[in-house]
């Protein structure tokens, strides 16, 4: 966990600040062969689900037993996010740009690493007591997580529906969190994992939240700059921040 915080987060933050990952609107040549976006999202996000399955079978087998109730809720949060990211979201992509294999492999490596840490924590190392479910911290974290997931999902839907079938090009998104920031989807994801860290009260959850911010915030800043350069005064007049409403 500390390795994820110290080496992973700061490395990604540094690289993301000066080198924008070359996919989507920032696509660039020289990063390897290009893969179908739906396949890429599945391959790079699904290791999280694979790790959940591996640790469940390792510690519970086919006994039919379940982890403690609070563990199950946290697994539902974590697994639900990645069911959406690896299965539902890719199938709903419209006219997506191809992704360099290097980007996909880097993301898959991280998801395998993080999936191992989160799954091992929730299915092997931590056993939360029943009293945790009614604790203020767990309830607060759950509310924050669900709020973040809702913002993230709604933002994805707004972006997805910007183009009609067959259309290309980029448009300004409106509605939801986009009223306040250029990257409502990134803001939602950051909120999600802060909520998860609060509810889980674990170092692994804190590491994940910190890494998420380190990865998405610089890319969000790049998106914000791109919007300003492309739409100029029309976008400036909206008064949006990059990722964090009213702050940055």
């Amino acid at each position: 966990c500390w390795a994820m915080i110290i080496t992973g987060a700061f490395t990604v933050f540094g690289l993301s600040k000066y080198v924008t990952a070359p996919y989507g609107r920032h696509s660039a040549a020289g990063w390897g062969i290009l893969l179908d976006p739906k396949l890429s999202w599945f391959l790079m996000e699904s290791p999280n689900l694979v790790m959940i399955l591996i640790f469940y079978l390792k510690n519970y087998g086919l006994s039919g037993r379940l982890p403690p109730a609070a563990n199950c809720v946290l697994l539902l949060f974590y697994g639900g996010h990645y069911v959406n990211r690896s299965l539902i979201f890719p199938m709903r992509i419209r006219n997506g740009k191809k992704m360099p294999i290097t980007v996909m492999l880097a993301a898959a490596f991280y998801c395998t690493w993080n999936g191992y840490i989160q799954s091992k924590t929730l299915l092997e190392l931590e056993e939360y007591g029943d009293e945790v479910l009614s604790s203020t911290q767990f309830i607060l974290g759950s509310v924050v997580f669900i709020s973040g997931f809702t913002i993230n999902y709604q933002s994805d839907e707004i972006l997805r529906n910007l183009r009609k079938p067959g259309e290309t090009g980029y448009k300004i998104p409106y509605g939801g969190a986009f009223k306040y920031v250029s990257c409502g989807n990134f803001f939602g994801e950051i909120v999600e994992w802060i909520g998860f860290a609060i509810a889980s009260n674990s170092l692994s959850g804190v590491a994940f939240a910190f890494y998420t911010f380190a990865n998405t915030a610089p890319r969000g800043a790049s998106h914000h700059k791109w919007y300003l350069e492309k739409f100029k005064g029309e976008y400036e007049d909206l008064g949006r921040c990059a990722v964090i409403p009213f702050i940055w």
Side-chain angles (χ1 to χ4, degrees), residues 119-233:
S119 298
K120 186 177 181 67
T121 298
L122 296 176
L123 287 165
E124 189 170 288
L125 299 180
E126 293 282 353
E127 287 196 1
Y128 297 93
D130 291 340
E131 71 280 0
V132 171
L133 284 173
S134 58
S135 69
T136 301
Q137 181 171 343
F138 190 86
I139 293 171
L140 174 63
S142 298
V143 170
V144 173
F145 178 90
I146 292 169
S147 299
F149 181 87
T150 302
I151 293 169
N152 181 254
Y153 191 88
Q154 181 191 49
S155 299
D156 282 345
E157 282 296 288
I158 291 172
L159 292 173
R160 176 178 173 270
N161 291 315
L162 282 178
R163 299 176 188 152
K164 296 178 181 178
E167 280 189 335
T168 58
Y170 289 93
K171 300 178 182 180
I172 298 175
Y174 292 94
F178 290 108
K179 180 178 180 180
Y180 307 103
V181 294
S182 294
C183 301
N185 48 339
F186 293 164
F187 169 62
E189 192 153 355
I190 290 169
V191 171
E192 264 188 89
W193 300 119
I194 288 175
F196 184 81
I198 294 171
S200 67
N201 193 31
S202 64
L203 179 58
S204 59
V206 172
F208 188 14
F210 190 66
Y211 196 101
T212 298
F213 178 82
N215 185 32
T216 58
R219 185 167 178 82
S222 296
H223 278 17
H224 184 66
K225 180 181 178 182
W226 181 91
Y227 277 121
L228 289 170
E229 291 174 349
K230 184 171 181 62
F231 298 104
K232 299 180 170 57

